[in-house]
Amino acid sequence: MVYRTAHYVLKNKDDALLAAQQALIEIYKTIHFYKETENFTMWIQRKVTTSCMEIRKPIKST
């Protein structure tokens, strides 16, 4: 589900793999913030989408 969501958003295999990896690390680090009243699938998809947006962010030149 994590990779599939990332690939859907990014439309690129390599970027999707990177986003999925980053999302899984973030999920592991923040699982204690998950509230049981939230939908777990939606919580994970939010994390994946956030990772995708970070990868898509243009790099600012200095």
Side-chain angles (χ1 to χ4, degrees):
M1 177 184 78
V2 172
Y3 172 77
R4 183 177 51 195
T5 302
H7 191 266
Y8 177 78
V9 172
L10 296 170
K11 310 279 192 264
N12 179 301
K13 178 184 174 186
D14 293 331
D15 288 345
L17 287 170
L18 179 61
Q21 182 179 16
Q22 288 177 345
L24 288 170
I25 291 169
E26 183 65 20
I27 290 165
Y28 177 77
K29 288 180 178 179
T30 61
I31 193 71
H32 59 280
F33 290 118
Y34 170 71
K35 298 179 186 123
E36 290 184 26
T37 57
E38 293 181 85
N39 183 327
F40 189 65
T41 303
M42 294 301 293
W43 185 75
I44 289 175
Q45 286 182 335
R46 252 191 340 266
K47 297 286 186 186
V48 174
T49 303
T50 301
S51 292
C52 290
M53 294 302 113
E54 288 175 0
I55 287 173
R56 269 190 166 171
K57 222 186 291 184
I59 300 171
K60 294 181 181 179
S61 58
T62 55

Short mmCIF file of all heavy atoms in Angstrom, two decimals:
data_model
loop_
_atom_site.label_atom_id
_atom_site.label_comp_id
_atom_site.label_asym_id
_atom_site.label_seq_id
_atom_site.Cartn_x
_atom_site.Cartn_y
_atom_site.Cartn_z
N MET A 1 0.81 -1.19 0.00
CA MET A 1 0.00 0.00 0.00
C MET A 1 0.86 1.26 0.00
O MET A 1 0.54 2.23 -0.68
CB MET A 1 -0.92 0.00 1.22
CG MET A 1 -1.74 1.26 1.31
SD MET A 1 -2.75 1.39 2.76
CE MET A 1 -1.55 1.85 3.96
N VAL A 2 1.96 1.25 0.71
CA VAL A 2 2.82 2.42 0.81
C VAL A 2 3.45 2.72 -0.55
O VAL A 2 3.37 3.85 -1.05
CB VAL A 2 3.89 2.23 1.91
CG1 VAL A 2 4.90 3.35 1.90
CG2 VAL A 2 3.23 2.12 3.27
N TYR A 3 4.06 1.71 -1.16
CA TYR A 3 4.69 1.93 -2.47
C TYR A 3 3.65 2.30 -3.52
O TYR A 3 3.88 3.19 -4.35
CB TYR A 3 5.47 0.68 -2.92
CG TYR A 3 5.96 0.81 -4.34
CD1 TYR A 3 7.06 1.60 -4.64
CD2 TYR A 3 5.29 0.18 -5.39
CE1 TYR A 3 7.50 1.75 -5.94
CE2 TYR A 3 5.72 0.33 -6.69
CZ TYR A 3 6.82 1.11 -6.96
OH TYR A 3 7.24 1.26 -8.26
N ARG A 4 2.52 1.61 -3.51
CA ARG A 4 1.47 1.87 -4.51
C ARG A 4 1.01 3.32 -4.44
O ARG A 4 0.84 3.98 -5.47
CB ARG A 4 0.31 0.92 -4.29
CG ARG A 4 -0.79 1.05 -5.33
CD ARG A 4 -1.88 0.06 -5.11
NE ARG A 4 -2.32 0.12 -3.71
CZ ARG A 4 -3.06 -0.79 -3.13
NH1 ARG A 4 -3.43 -1.86 -3.77
NH2 ARG A 4 -3.42 -0.66 -1.88
N THR A 5 0.81 3.83 -3.24
CA THR A 5 0.39 5.22 -3.08
C THR A 5 1.47 6.17 -3.57
O THR A 5 1.19 7.14 -4.28
CB THR A 5 0.05 5.51 -1.60
OG1 THR A 5 -0.97 4.62 -1.18
CG2 THR A 5 -0.40 6.95 -1.40
N ALA A 6 2.71 5.90 -3.21
CA ALA A 6 3.83 6.75 -3.63
C ALA A 6 3.98 6.75 -5.15
O ALA A 6 4.19 7.79 -5.77
CB ALA A 6 5.12 6.30 -2.97
N HIS A 7 3.84 5.58 -5.76
CA HIS A 7 3.97 5.50 -7.22
C HIS A 7 2.82 6.22 -7.91
O HIS A 7 3.01 6.87 -8.94
CB HIS A 7 4.03 4.04 -7.66
CG HIS A 7 4.43 3.89 -9.09
ND1 HIS A 7 3.50 3.78 -10.09
CD2 HIS A 7 5.65 3.86 -9.68
CE1 HIS A 7 4.14 3.67 -11.25
NE2 HIS A 7 5.44 3.72 -11.01
N TYR A 8 1.63 6.15 -7.34
CA TYR A 8 0.47 6.84 -7.90
C TYR A 8 0.70 8.36 -7.89
O TYR A 8 0.37 9.05 -8.84
CB TYR A 8 -0.79 6.48 -7.12
CG TYR A 8 -2.02 7.21 -7.59
CD1 TYR A 8 -2.69 6.79 -8.74
CD2 TYR A 8 -2.50 8.31 -6.91
CE1 TYR A 8 -3.82 7.46 -9.19
CE2 TYR A 8 -3.63 8.98 -7.34
CZ TYR A 8 -4.28 8.55 -8.49
OH TYR A 8 -5.39 9.22 -8.93
N VAL A 9 1.27 8.87 -6.81
CA VAL A 9 1.48 10.31 -6.67
C VAL A 9 2.64 10.78 -7.53
O VAL A 9 2.54 11.79 -8.23
CB VAL A 9 1.72 10.68 -5.19
CG1 VAL A 9 2.14 12.13 -5.05
CG2 VAL A 9 0.49 10.40 -4.35
N LEU A 10 3.74 10.04 -7.53
CA LEU A 10 4.96 10.51 -8.18
C LEU A 10 5.12 10.06 -9.64
O LEU A 10 5.86 10.68 -10.39
CB LEU A 10 6.18 10.06 -7.37
CG LEU A 10 6.29 10.65 -5.98
CD1 LEU A 10 7.39 9.97 -5.19
CD2 LEU A 10 6.52 12.16 -6.05
N LYS A 11 4.49 8.96 -10.01
CA LYS A 11 4.56 8.43 -11.39
C LYS A 11 6.00 8.10 -11.81
O LYS A 11 6.34 8.20 -12.97
CB LYS A 11 3.97 9.44 -12.39
CG LYS A 11 2.62 9.97 -12.06
CD LYS A 11 1.53 9.03 -12.45
CE LYS A 11 0.16 9.67 -12.40
NZ LYS A 11 -0.56 9.44 -11.19
N ASN A 12 6.82 7.73 -10.84
CA ASN A 12 8.21 7.41 -11.12
C ASN A 12 8.66 6.33 -10.13
O ASN A 12 8.55 6.52 -8.91
CB ASN A 12 9.07 8.67 -10.96
CG ASN A 12 10.53 8.43 -11.22
OD1 ASN A 12 11.16 7.61 -10.56
ND2 ASN A 12 11.08 9.15 -12.19
N LYS A 13 9.18 5.22 -10.66
CA LYS A 13 9.53 4.08 -9.82
C LYS A 13 10.59 4.42 -8.77
O LYS A 13 10.43 4.11 -7.59
CB LYS A 13 10.03 2.94 -10.71
CG LYS A 13 10.45 1.72 -9.95
CD LYS A 13 11.03 0.67 -10.86
CE LYS A 13 11.59 -0.48 -10.05
NZ LYS A 13 12.28 -1.45 -10.88
N ASP A 14 11.67 5.06 -9.19
CA ASP A 14 12.76 5.35 -8.26
C ASP A 14 12.34 6.34 -7.17
O ASP A 14 12.65 6.14 -5.99
CB ASP A 14 13.97 5.89 -9.02
CG ASP A 14 14.59 4.85 -9.94
OD1 ASP A 14 14.49 3.65 -9.62
OD2 ASP A 14 15.15 5.24 -10.97
N ASP A 15 11.63 7.39 -7.57
CA ASP A 15 11.16 8.35 -6.58
C ASP A 15 10.15 7.71 -5.64
O ASP A 15 10.13 8.00 -4.44
CB ASP A 15 10.53 9.56 -7.27
CG ASP A 15 11.56 10.45 -7.94
OD1 ASP A 15 12.77 10.31 -7.65
OD2 ASP A 15 11.16 11.30 -8.77
N ALA A 16 9.31 6.83 -6.17
CA ALA A 16 8.31 6.14 -5.35
C ALA A 16 8.98 5.24 -4.31
O ALA A 16 8.54 5.17 -3.17
CB ALA A 16 7.36 5.34 -6.22
N LEU A 17 10.04 4.56 -4.72
CA LEU A 17 10.77 3.72 -3.76
C LEU A 17 11.38 4.56 -2.65
O LEU A 17 11.32 4.18 -1.47
CB LEU A 17 11.86 2.92 -4.49
CG LEU A 17 11.38 1.76 -5.35
CD1 LEU A 17 12.53 1.21 -6.19
CD2 LEU A 17 10.78 0.67 -4.49
N LEU A 18 11.96 5.69 -3.02
CA LEU A 18 12.55 6.58 -2.02
C LEU A 18 11.48 7.13 -1.08
O LEU A 18 11.66 7.13 0.14
CB LEU A 18 13.29 7.72 -2.72
CG LEU A 18 13.95 8.74 -1.81
CD1 LEU A 18 15.01 8.08 -0.92
CD2 LEU A 18 14.57 9.85 -2.63
N ALA A 19 10.36 7.57 -1.64
CA ALA A 19 9.28 8.11 -0.82
C ALA A 19 8.71 7.05 0.11
O ALA A 19 8.42 7.32 1.27
CB ALA A 19 8.18 8.68 -1.71
N ALA A 20 8.55 5.84 -0.39
CA ALA A 20 8.03 4.75 0.43
C ALA A 20 8.98 4.44 1.59
O ALA A 20 8.53 4.25 2.73
CB ALA A 20 7.81 3.50 -0.43
N GLN A 21 10.26 4.42 1.29
CA GLN A 21 11.24 4.16 2.35
C GLN A 21 11.20 5.26 3.41
O GLN A 21 11.17 4.98 4.61
CB GLN A 21 12.64 4.05 1.76
CG GLN A 21 13.71 3.75 2.77
CD GLN A 21 15.08 3.62 2.14
OE1 GLN A 21 15.30 4.04 1.01
NE2 GLN A 21 16.00 3.03 2.86
N GLN A 22 11.18 6.51 2.96
CA GLN A 22 11.13 7.62 3.91
C GLN A 22 9.84 7.59 4.73
O GLN A 22 9.87 7.87 5.93
CB GLN A 22 11.25 8.95 3.17
CG GLN A 22 12.62 9.21 2.62
CD GLN A 22 12.70 10.50 1.83
OE1 GLN A 22 11.69 11.08 1.45
NE2 GLN A 22 13.92 10.94 1.56
N ALA A 23 8.74 7.25 4.09
CA ALA A 23 7.46 7.20 4.79
C ALA A 23 7.47 6.10 5.85
O ALA A 23 6.98 6.31 6.97
CB ALA A 23 6.32 6.98 3.81
N LEU A 24 8.00 4.94 5.52
CA LEU A 24 8.04 3.85 6.49
C LEU A 24 8.92 4.18 7.69
O LEU A 24 8.59 3.84 8.83
CB LEU A 24 8.51 2.56 5.81
CG LEU A 24 7.49 1.93 4.87
CD1 LEU A 24 8.11 0.81 4.06
CD2 LEU A 24 6.28 1.43 5.65
N ILE A 25 10.01 4.88 7.44
CA ILE A 25 10.87 5.31 8.55
C ILE A 25 10.11 6.31 9.42
O ILE A 25 10.13 6.22 10.66
CB ILE A 25 12.18 5.92 8.02
CG1 ILE A 25 13.04 4.82 7.39
CG2 ILE A 25 12.95 6.65 9.13
CD1 ILE A 25 14.23 5.31 6.60
N GLU A 26 9.41 7.26 8.79
CA GLU A 26 8.63 8.25 9.53
C GLU A 26 7.51 7.59 10.32
O GLU A 26 7.25 7.95 11.47
CB GLU A 26 8.07 9.29 8.56
CG GLU A 26 7.30 10.40 9.22
CD GLU A 26 8.15 11.30 10.12
OE1 GLU A 26 9.39 11.32 9.96
OE2 GLU A 26 7.57 11.94 10.99
N ILE A 27 6.85 6.60 9.73
CA ILE A 27 5.78 5.88 10.43
C ILE A 27 6.34 5.17 11.65
O ILE A 27 5.77 5.21 12.73
CB ILE A 27 5.08 4.89 9.47
CG1 ILE A 27 4.26 5.67 8.43
CG2 ILE A 27 4.22 3.89 10.22
CD1 ILE A 27 3.82 4.85 7.25
N TYR A 28 7.50 4.53 11.48
CA TYR A 28 8.14 3.82 12.59
C TYR A 28 8.48 4.79 13.73
O TYR A 28 8.27 4.49 14.91
CB TYR A 28 9.40 3.12 12.09
CG TYR A 28 10.16 2.41 13.17
CD1 TYR A 28 9.73 1.18 13.67
CD2 TYR A 28 11.31 2.97 13.72
CE1 TYR A 28 10.42 0.53 14.67
CE2 TYR A 28 12.01 2.32 14.73
CZ TYR A 28 11.56 1.10 15.20
OH TYR A 28 12.24 0.47 16.19
N LYS A 29 8.99 5.97 13.37
CA LYS A 29 9.40 6.94 14.39
C LYS A 29 8.22 7.59 15.10
O LYS A 29 8.36 8.05 16.24
CB LYS A 29 10.24 8.05 13.75
CG LYS A 29 11.62 7.61 13.34
CD LYS A 29 12.36 8.78 12.72
CE LYS A 29 13.77 8.43 12.35
NZ LYS A 29 14.47 9.57 11.73
N THR A 30 7.07 7.69 14.42
CA THR A 30 5.94 8.44 14.98
C THR A 30 4.73 7.58 15.31
O THR A 30 3.65 8.13 15.56
CB THR A 30 5.53 9.57 14.03
OG1 THR A 30 5.11 8.99 12.78
CG2 THR A 30 6.65 10.57 13.81
N ILE A 31 4.87 6.28 15.32
CA ILE A 31 3.73 5.40 15.57
C ILE A 31 3.10 5.68 16.94
O ILE A 31 1.89 5.52 17.10
CB ILE A 31 4.12 3.91 15.43
CG1 ILE A 31 2.88 3.02 15.39
CG2 ILE A 31 5.06 3.47 16.54
CD1 ILE A 31 2.09 3.12 14.14
N HIS A 32 3.88 6.14 17.89
CA HIS A 32 3.34 6.43 19.22
C HIS A 32 2.39 7.64 19.21
O HIS A 32 1.63 7.83 20.15
CB HIS A 32 4.46 6.61 20.25
CG HIS A 32 5.41 7.71 19.92
ND1 HIS A 32 6.43 7.55 19.01
CD2 HIS A 32 5.48 8.98 20.35
CE1 HIS A 32 7.10 8.68 18.91
NE2 HIS A 32 6.54 9.57 19.71
N PHE A 33 2.40 8.45 18.13
CA PHE A 33 1.47 9.57 18.02
C PHE A 33 0.13 9.16 17.40
O PHE A 33 -0.81 9.95 17.40
CB PHE A 33 2.07 10.70 17.16
CG PHE A 33 3.21 11.41 17.83
CD1 PHE A 33 4.47 11.39 17.27
CD2 PHE A 33 3.02 12.10 19.02
CE1 PHE A 33 5.53 12.05 17.87
CE2 PHE A 33 4.07 12.76 19.63
CZ PHE A 33 5.32 12.74 19.05
N TYR A 34 0.07 7.95 16.87
CA TYR A 34 -1.16 7.50 16.24
C TYR A 34 -2.26 7.37 17.29
O TYR A 34 -2.05 6.78 18.35
CB TYR A 34 -0.95 6.15 15.54
CG TYR A 34 -2.23 5.51 15.08
CD1 TYR A 34 -2.95 6.04 14.02
CD2 TYR A 34 -2.74 4.40 15.73
CE1 TYR A 34 -4.14 5.47 13.61
CE2 TYR A 34 -3.93 3.82 15.33
CZ TYR A 34 -4.62 4.35 14.28
OH TYR A 34 -5.80 3.79 13.88
N LYS A 35 -3.43 7.93 16.98
CA LYS A 35 -4.58 7.84 17.88
C LYS A 35 -5.52 6.79 17.34
O LYS A 35 -5.85 6.78 16.16
CB LYS A 35 -5.29 9.19 17.95
CG LYS A 35 -4.43 10.29 18.51
CD LYS A 35 -5.18 11.60 18.52
CE LYS A 35 -4.23 12.70 18.95
NZ LYS A 35 -4.13 13.75 17.99
N GLU A 36 -5.98 5.91 18.19
CA GLU A 36 -6.85 4.82 17.76
C GLU A 36 -8.18 5.30 17.20
O GLU A 36 -8.87 4.55 16.53
CB GLU A 36 -7.08 3.83 18.90
CG GLU A 36 -5.83 3.04 19.22
CD GLU A 36 -6.07 1.99 20.28
OE1 GLU A 36 -7.20 1.52 20.42
OE2 GLU A 36 -5.10 1.64 20.97
N THR A 37 -8.52 6.55 17.44
CA THR A 37 -9.77 7.07 16.88
C THR A 37 -9.62 7.41 15.40
O THR A 37 -10.61 7.58 14.71
CB THR A 37 -10.22 8.33 17.65
OG1 THR A 37 -9.17 9.31 17.59
CG2 THR A 37 -10.54 8.01 19.09
N GLU A 38 -8.36 7.52 14.92
CA GLU A 38 -8.10 7.80 13.51
C GLU A 38 -8.12 6.51 12.70
O GLU A 38 -7.84 5.44 13.22
CB GLU A 38 -6.71 8.44 13.33
CG GLU A 38 -6.55 9.80 13.92
CD GLU A 38 -5.16 10.33 13.66
OE1 GLU A 38 -4.93 10.90 12.60
OE2 GLU A 38 -4.30 10.13 14.54
N ASN A 39 -8.41 6.65 11.42
CA ASN A 39 -8.33 5.52 10.51
C ASN A 39 -6.84 5.27 10.22
O ASN A 39 -6.14 6.15 9.71
CB ASN A 39 -9.09 5.85 9.22
CG ASN A 39 -9.10 4.71 8.24
OD1 ASN A 39 -8.16 3.94 8.16
ND2 ASN A 39 -10.17 4.62 7.50
N PHE A 40 -6.36 4.07 10.53
CA PHE A 40 -4.94 3.76 10.39
C PHE A 40 -4.46 3.88 8.94
O PHE A 40 -3.38 4.41 8.67
CB PHE A 40 -4.65 2.36 10.93
CG PHE A 40 -3.20 2.03 11.04
CD1 PHE A 40 -2.38 2.73 11.92
CD2 PHE A 40 -2.63 1.03 10.26
CE1 PHE A 40 -1.03 2.43 12.03
CE2 PHE A 40 -1.29 0.73 10.36
CZ PHE A 40 -0.49 1.43 11.25
N THR A 41 -5.27 3.41 8.01
CA THR A 41 -4.90 3.48 6.60
C THR A 41 -4.74 4.92 6.14
O THR A 41 -3.78 5.26 5.44
CB THR A 41 -5.95 2.76 5.73
OG1 THR A 41 -6.07 1.41 6.18
CG2 THR A 41 -5.59 2.79 4.27
N MET A 42 -5.66 5.77 6.54
CA MET A 42 -5.58 7.18 6.15
C MET A 42 -4.38 7.85 6.80
O MET A 42 -3.73 8.71 6.18
CB MET A 42 -6.87 7.91 6.54
CG MET A 42 -8.08 7.45 5.78
SD MET A 42 -7.91 7.64 3.99
CE MET A 42 -7.89 9.40 3.86
N TRP A 43 -4.05 7.48 8.01
CA TRP A 43 -2.89 8.04 8.70
C TRP A 43 -1.61 7.69 7.94
O TRP A 43 -0.77 8.56 7.73
CB TRP A 43 -2.85 7.50 10.14
CG TRP A 43 -1.77 8.07 11.00
CD1 TRP A 43 -1.74 9.31 11.57
CD2 TRP A 43 -0.56 7.42 11.39
NE1 TRP A 43 -0.58 9.46 12.31
CE2 TRP A 43 0.16 8.33 12.21
CE3 TRP A 43 -0.01 6.16 11.14
CZ2 TRP A 43 1.39 8.01 12.77
CZ3 TRP A 43 1.22 5.85 11.70
CH2 TRP A 43 1.90 6.77 12.51
N ILE A 44 -1.51 6.44 7.51
CA ILE A 44 -0.35 6.01 6.75
C ILE A 44 -0.29 6.74 5.40
O ILE A 44 0.78 7.21 4.99
CB ILE A 44 -0.36 4.48 6.55
CG1 ILE A 44 -0.05 3.79 7.88
CG2 ILE A 44 0.64 4.06 5.47
CD1 ILE A 44 -0.14 2.29 7.84
N GLN A 45 -1.41 6.84 4.72
CA GLN A 45 -1.42 7.51 3.42
C GLN A 45 -1.03 8.98 3.54
O GLN A 45 -0.38 9.52 2.64
CB GLN A 45 -2.79 7.37 2.76
CG GLN A 45 -3.01 5.98 2.22
CD GLN A 45 -4.33 5.82 1.50
OE1 GLN A 45 -5.28 6.55 1.76
NE2 GLN A 45 -4.39 4.85 0.61
N ARG A 46 -1.40 9.62 4.64
CA ARG A 46 -0.96 11.00 4.86
C ARG A 46 0.55 11.08 4.97
O ARG A 46 1.18 12.00 4.43
CB ARG A 46 -1.62 11.56 6.13
CG ARG A 46 -2.68 12.57 5.85
CD ARG A 46 -3.17 13.34 7.07
NE ARG A 46 -2.96 12.78 8.38
CZ ARG A 46 -3.83 12.04 9.05
NH1 ARG A 46 -4.98 11.73 8.52
NH2 ARG A 46 -3.55 11.62 10.25
N LYS A 47 1.13 10.12 5.69
CA LYS A 47 2.59 10.10 5.83
C LYS A 47 3.26 9.89 4.48
O LYS A 47 4.26 10.53 4.15
CB LYS A 47 3.02 8.98 6.79
CG LYS A 47 2.54 9.13 8.20
CD LYS A 47 3.30 10.21 8.92
CE LYS A 47 2.89 10.25 10.38
NZ LYS A 47 3.50 11.37 11.07
N VAL A 48 2.71 8.98 3.67
CA VAL A 48 3.27 8.70 2.34
C VAL A 48 3.15 9.94 1.45
O VAL A 48 4.11 10.32 0.77
CB VAL A 48 2.58 7.49 1.69
CG1 VAL A 48 3.07 7.29 0.26
CG2 VAL A 48 2.81 6.23 2.52
N THR A 49 2.01 10.56 1.46
CA THR A 49 1.80 11.74 0.62
C THR A 49 2.74 12.86 1.03
O THR A 49 3.30 13.56 0.17
CB THR A 49 0.33 12.21 0.73
OG1 THR A 49 -0.51 11.12 0.35
CG2 THR A 49 0.06 13.39 -0.19
N THR A 50 2.96 13.03 2.31
CA THR A 50 3.91 14.05 2.78
C THR A 50 5.32 13.74 2.28
O THR A 50 6.02 14.65 1.82
CB THR A 50 3.89 14.12 4.32
OG1 THR A 50 2.58 14.45 4.75
CG2 THR A 50 4.88 15.15 4.84
N SER A 51 5.72 12.48 2.32
CA SER A 51 7.04 12.09 1.81
C SER A 51 7.14 12.38 0.32
O SER A 51 8.18 12.85 -0.17
CB SER A 51 7.30 10.62 2.06
OG SER A 51 7.46 10.37 3.43
N CYS A 52 6.08 12.13 -0.40
CA CYS A 52 6.07 12.39 -1.84
C CYS A 52 6.22 13.88 -2.13
O CYS A 52 6.96 14.28 -3.03
CB CYS A 52 4.78 11.89 -2.47
SG CYS A 52 4.64 10.09 -2.52
N MET A 53 5.54 14.69 -1.36
CA MET A 53 5.62 16.13 -1.58
C MET A 53 7.02 16.66 -1.26
O MET A 53 7.49 17.59 -1.90
CB MET A 53 4.58 16.87 -0.72
CG MET A 53 3.14 16.58 -1.12
SD MET A 53 2.79 17.00 -2.84
CE MET A 53 2.51 15.38 -3.52
N GLU A 54 7.68 16.07 -0.28
CA GLU A 54 9.04 16.48 0.04
C GLU A 54 10.00 16.14 -1.10
O GLU A 54 10.93 16.90 -1.38
CB GLU A 54 9.51 15.83 1.34
CG GLU A 54 8.82 16.41 2.56
CD GLU A 54 9.18 15.68 3.84
OE1 GLU A 54 9.98 14.72 3.79
OE2 GLU A 54 8.64 16.06 4.89
N ILE A 55 9.78 15.02 -1.76
CA ILE A 55 10.63 14.63 -2.87
C ILE A 55 10.37 15.51 -4.08
O ILE A 55 11.29 15.89 -4.81
CB ILE A 55 10.40 13.14 -3.22
CG1 ILE A 55 11.03 12.30 -2.12
CG2 ILE A 55 10.97 12.79 -4.58
CD1 ILE A 55 10.76 10.83 -2.23
N ARG A 56 9.11 15.87 -4.29
CA ARG A 56 8.74 16.72 -5.43
C ARG A 56 9.18 18.17 -5.26
O ARG A 56 9.28 18.89 -6.23
CB ARG A 56 7.22 16.73 -5.58
CG ARG A 56 6.70 15.71 -6.48
CD ARG A 56 5.26 16.02 -6.69
NE ARG A 56 4.74 15.28 -7.80
CZ ARG A 56 3.48 15.22 -8.12
NH1 ARG A 56 2.60 15.89 -7.40
NH2 ARG A 56 3.08 14.53 -9.15
N LYS A 57 9.41 18.58 -4.03
CA LYS A 57 9.77 19.98 -3.75
C LYS A 57 10.98 20.38 -4.58
O LYS A 57 11.99 19.69 -4.57
CB LYS A 57 10.11 20.11 -2.26
CG LYS A 57 9.57 21.35 -1.61
CD LYS A 57 10.06 21.49 -0.20
CE LYS A 57 9.49 20.46 0.74
NZ LYS A 57 9.90 20.66 2.12
N PRO A 58 10.91 21.50 -5.27
CA PRO A 58 12.07 21.92 -6.05
C PRO A 58 13.23 22.29 -5.13
O PRO A 58 13.02 22.83 -4.05
CB PRO A 58 11.58 23.13 -6.82
CG PRO A 58 10.35 23.59 -6.11
CD PRO A 58 9.79 22.40 -5.38
N ILE A 59 14.40 21.99 -5.58
CA ILE A 59 15.61 22.31 -4.80
C ILE A 59 15.98 23.75 -5.07
O ILE A 59 16.15 24.16 -6.22
CB ILE A 59 16.77 21.37 -5.18
CG1 ILE A 59 16.37 19.93 -4.88
CG2 ILE A 59 18.04 21.76 -4.44
CD1 ILE A 59 17.36 18.91 -5.41
N LYS A 60 16.08 24.55 -4.01
CA LYS A 60 16.44 25.96 -4.16
C LYS A 60 17.95 26.08 -4.32
O LYS A 60 18.72 25.47 -3.59
CB LYS A 60 16.01 26.75 -2.94
CG LYS A 60 14.51 26.83 -2.77
CD LYS A 60 14.17 27.66 -1.55
CE LYS A 60 12.67 27.73 -1.36
NZ LYS A 60 12.31 28.51 -0.18
N SER A 61 18.36 26.85 -5.29
CA SER A 61 19.80 27.07 -5.47
C SER A 61 20.22 28.25 -4.61
O SER A 61 19.49 29.22 -4.43
CB SER A 61 20.12 27.34 -6.93
OG SER A 61 19.39 28.46 -7.38
N THR A 62 21.42 28.16 -4.07
CA THR A 62 21.90 29.23 -3.17
C THR A 62 22.83 30.14 -3.88
O THR A 62 23.43 29.90 -4.85
CB THR A 62 22.59 28.64 -1.94
OG1 THR A 62 23.63 27.77 -2.37
CG2 THR A 62 21.60 27.93 -1.07
#
